[in-house]
Amino acid sequence: MGSNPTPSASVLYMDLSFILKRVKGITLNSKEVKKGYLFFAIKGTRFDGHNFIREAEERGAYAVVVERPVSSKVPVIIVEDTRKALGKSAHEFFGKPSERLNVIGITGTNGKTTTTHLIEKILLEAGEKTGLIGTIYYRLGEKILGSGRTTPDQITWHRTLKEFYELGAKNVVAEISSHALDQYRVYPTRFEAVLFTNLSQDHLDYHKTMEDYFASKAKLFTEYESKVKIINADDTYGKRLLKITHGEIITYGKKGDLKILNFRTDFRGSALRIAFKGKEYEFSTNLIGDFQAYNLSAAIAYALWKGIEPDLIQRALKCVNVPGRFEVVHSDKFTVIIDYAHTPDAVENVLRTARKLSKGKLISVFGAGGNRDREKRPLMGKAAEKYSDLIILTSDNPRDEEPEKIIEDILDGISEKDKVIIEADRRKAIKKAIDMAKEGDMVAILGKGHEDYQEIKGVKYPFSDAQVVKEILGGDGCIGKD
Ligand code: ADP
């Protein structure tokens, strides 16, 4: 209807562009409202922003954006979907930064962090300033702009893109989680490229079913604009995605447009041979693990599509540092690796690789996060049992749950119970594994990767697997890094 907002309580349906020119700021947190701000009421899983209208008003909101009628002293703007409206507004409010950058979005259950780092490395090698948004941090080169959720909320997303742009970035490569897609946190970004790695069981506490999980991931390919879509054609869900998406598509995999011809991985690194558009290429890297064939292929597919010279890509991939992703932190008589794997599929992948690389026994140390997807716990136990000679079950981030209860859930999936030692104290569990390791063995510490805290009953205590290993064994823990 486009009528002017009045200071009295009124319900208006209007184009938000009009009001965005007049507000001082936008927020979805009623506590952050300042005079002249536009407040967006978002209905989350725990809280509903519609219950905080009074607080927003009291703090001086210029107007509030809602999905259902509320009574208020300030103008009320009703929209169909406040999350989408917030995305659109943040995009506009921060000057449409995604349109001035090449934004590359990567989604999938596993491989997002690794693939973002690979693409970042290639673009940096090509001399282009590139920002990175993901699980570990939001950073531009050495400069860390922040960290938080894998994919930030709408405001942080568009504001961070703006910051990257103002700092001279040409590209931003970002992990896009399924939660983020479901909640339209990156809406309405225009991507240069979107990539799909794979889909396996995770986050079923949130998504309930695999179908729902897949539907969220698929949104990046069906509801967002992008110049090219790069999809793993060896993955069952990747194949399904191919049926519902349009535009320029490049597949990778054993029979993909980018064809994986050969992949070898050993303790020192990996070598990949691929064919693309009638030519063959070889790449070598310090990264280890069978699954790296896919992460490398995804990144290479993007780079070749973009026209980056193959020898430059080869140079870039030689040495890549992805913290906490099959990170070798000790290698002497025996080897210790740290990995972020916290899903059954990821545990399976890491330990399969570790099994192959270990010349002696494989000792795995892990737990599972509290307050989250319980169904995955026995499956993680099962995957670990398949490859480990010894399993030390411990705590991950127990959050509000009892660590012993989580350990029992994992134990349910393990049939050979005599393979298992239970030590709920993570530090002691790591120490135990290291004390038991003999020449040629491999110790795999899983679940937390780069994290520098352990979350117990609402408190984040400082804790780093790498640091603990360093304290026990000494050394600088710096193998396989550039
Ligand atoms: P994400 O950011 O999607 O969680 P990461 O790149 O951090 O993915 O990898 C997490 C863990 O998942 C790795 O340490 C490894 O164990 C496993 N992993 C990585 N890439 C893949 C892949 N392409 N397929 C299966 N597992 C993978």
Side-chain angles (χ1 to χ4, degrees):
M1 284 206 264
S3 54
N4 281 337
T6 59
S8 63
S10 53
V11 177
L12 303 165
Y13 299 84
M14 62 186 299
D15 177 6
L16 288 174
S17 312
F18 172 82
I19 212 163
L20 284 169
K21 293 194 188 91
R22 287 155 178 80
V23 297
K24 299 226 158 31
I26 56 177
T27 183
L28 71 168
N29 180 348
S30 54
K31 301 212 164 9
E32 285 175 6
V33 171
K34 292 190 189 130
K35 197 168 162 30
Y37 269 47
L38 183 61
F39 172 68
F40 286 80
I42 306 278
K43 190 172 174 337
T45 41
R46 279 200 284 176
F47 299 107
D48 183 352
H50 294 79
N51 298 331
F52 296 88
I53 302 289
R54 278 291 296 277
E55 185 174 14
E57 261 170 42
E58 279 161 13
R59 289 174 169 273
Y62 183 87
V64 295
V65 182
V66 293
E67 279 175 1
R68 57 167 197 263
V70 291
S71 68
S72 174
K73 293 194 199 78
V74 298
V76 173
I77 301 153
I78 300 190
V79 295
E80 205 178 314
D81 185 330
T82 44
R83 293 180 190 281
K84 276 187 162 177
L86 176 58
K88 256 179 107 174
S89 301
H91 171 70
E92 242 180 89
F93 189 76
F94 294 112
K96 306 186 178 176
S98 63
E99 292 179 6
R100 290 187 259 169
L101 291 157
N102 296 316
V103 185
I104 302 126
I106 303 178
T107 199
T109 308
N110 293 308
K112 296 184 294 298
T113 305
T114 308
T115 311
T116 46
H117 280 76
L118 293 174
I119 292 182
E120 180 205 30
K121 186 76 200 293
I122 296 169
L123 292 171
L124 290 177
E125 189 78 30
E128 297 189 0
K129 259 197 173 179
T130 301
L132 189 143
I133 295 183
T135 321
I136 312 183
Y137 33 51
Y138 315 151
R139 76 168 159 81
L140 183 68
E142 299 291 300
K143 192 175 159 65
I144 309 247
L145 271 72
S147 66
R149 289 189 290 193
T150 302
T151 318
D153 64 62
Q154 290 87 337
I155 296 174
T156 316
W157 169 260
H158 291 289
R159 196 188 49 225
T160 306
L161 291 183
K162 178 175 184 236
E163 279 171 39
F164 279 142
Y165 177 74
E166 285 175 349
L167 289 166
K170 204 168 162 208
N171 316 293
V172 172
V173 49
E175 290 180 45
I176 315 286
S177 70
S178 54
H179 293 54
L181 288 165
D182 200 43
Q183 298 167 3
Y184 289 100
R185 284 194 231 141
V186 297
Y187 191 76
T189 305
R190 243 189 255 165
F191 291 91
E192 180 196 36
V194 288
L195 288 82
F196 176 84
T197 61
N198 50 58
L199 197 74
S200 63
Q201 182 160 353
D202 194 14
H203 303 305
L204 290 192
D205 50 336
Y206 177 86
H207 293 291
K208 307 292 179 228
T209 64
M210 283 299 282
E211 282 312 301
D212 184 29
Y213 185 29
F214 174 63
S216 296
K217 295 276 189 206
K219 281 184 181 167
L220 186 59
F221 300 81
T222 55
E223 294 191 22
Y224 291 81
E225 270 182 56
S226 58
K227 289 187 190 148
V228 66
K229 301 177 175 82
I230 298 173
I231 297 174
N232 177 355
D234 286 353
D235 184 85
T236 319
Y237 288 94
K239 286 193 188 108
R240 279 182 59 185
L241 193 55
L242 287 172
K243 295 197 183 125
I244 56 170
T245 192
H246 305 284
E248 185 174 356
I249 296 171
I250 299 177
T251 59
Y252 62 94
K254 294 197 179 85
K255 291 186 191 144
D257 302 323
L258 181 152
K259 197 166 168 186
I260 300 176
L261 298 174
N262 189 28
F263 184 72
R264 281 175 290 117
T265 183
D266 70 18
F267 181 68
R268 287 167 299 275
S270 311
L272 170 71
R273 198 153 58 84
I274 59 139
F276 187 68
K277 295 198 171 162
K279 285 193 187 149
E280 290 191 13
Y281 306 93
E282 284 258 1
F283 300 88
S284 63
T285 177
N286 63 320
L287 298 179
I288 298 170
D290 286 330
F291 50 83
Q292 299 296 8
Y294 288 95
N295 298 336
L296 290 162
S297 295
I300 294 165
Y302 164 76
L304 290 175
W305 167 82
K306 195 158 164 117
I308 296 177
E309 289 301 322
D311 61 337
L312 191 152
I313 306 172
Q314 280 153 345
R315 252 194 339 266
L317 296 179
K318 274 223 158 80
C319 198
V320 187
N321 175 23
V322 190
R325 273 65 182 170
F326 216 101
E327 196 181 358
V328 180
V329 289
H330 177 84
S331 175
D332 188 8
K333 288 197 174 61
F334 57 87
T335 304
V336 183
I337 66 129
I338 289 177
D339 194 284
Y340 189 51
H342 55 274
T343 65
D345 196 50
V347 169
E348 165 110 22
N349 277 315
V350 177
L351 294 182
R352 192 193 312 114
T353 300
R355 171 77 278 164
K356 269 205 239 159
L357 298 172
S358 173
K359 295 191 186 73
K361 291 197 161 59
L362 175 60
I363 305 173
S364 52
V365 184
F366 67 98
N371 305 16
R372 311 261 158 100
D373 190 2
R374 302 176 72 142
E375 281 172 44
K376 75 177 184 184
R377 295 176 189 166
L379 300 176
M380 288 168 73
K382 193 171 172 211
E385 179 177 18
K386 218 159 133 187
Y387 303 103
S388 315
D389 297 290
L390 179 67
I391 300 169
I392 305 188
L393 290 182
T394 187
S395 306
D396 190 281
N397 292 317
R399 302 195 175 86
D400 301 321
E401 285 192 59
E402 286 312 318
E404 287 74 16
K405 178 73 196 67
I406 301 175
I407 290 173
E408 263 174 42
D409 289 345
I410 305 172
L411 199 58
D412 276 347
I414 303 177
S415 45
E416 280 181 70
K417 310 273 194 248
D418 55 351
K419 262 191 179 181
V420 181
I421 293 176
I422 293 174
E423 174 49 76
D425 182 318
R426 193 169 178 96
R427 186 180 296 270
K428 287 190 186 149
I430 293 174
K431 173 93 169 60
K432 222 168 226 170
I434 288 174
D435 287 346
M436 293 175 88
K438 304 228 162 45
E439 182 135 12
D441 290 353
M442 183 173 275
V443 176
I445 305 167
L446 309 183
K448 295 179 64 62
H450 66 280
E451 281 178 11
D452 56 5
Y453 63 85
Q454 191 174 23
E455 193 179 335
I456 305 170
K457 300 220 179 340
V459 182
K460 284 188 172 179
Y461 297 93
F463 192 98
S464 145
D465 288 346
Q467 188 60 32
V468 171
V469 173
K470 197 172 144 187
E471 280 163 23
I472 300 170
L473 288 168
D476 65 358
C478 196
I479 294 166
K481 292 184 180 175
D482 49 357

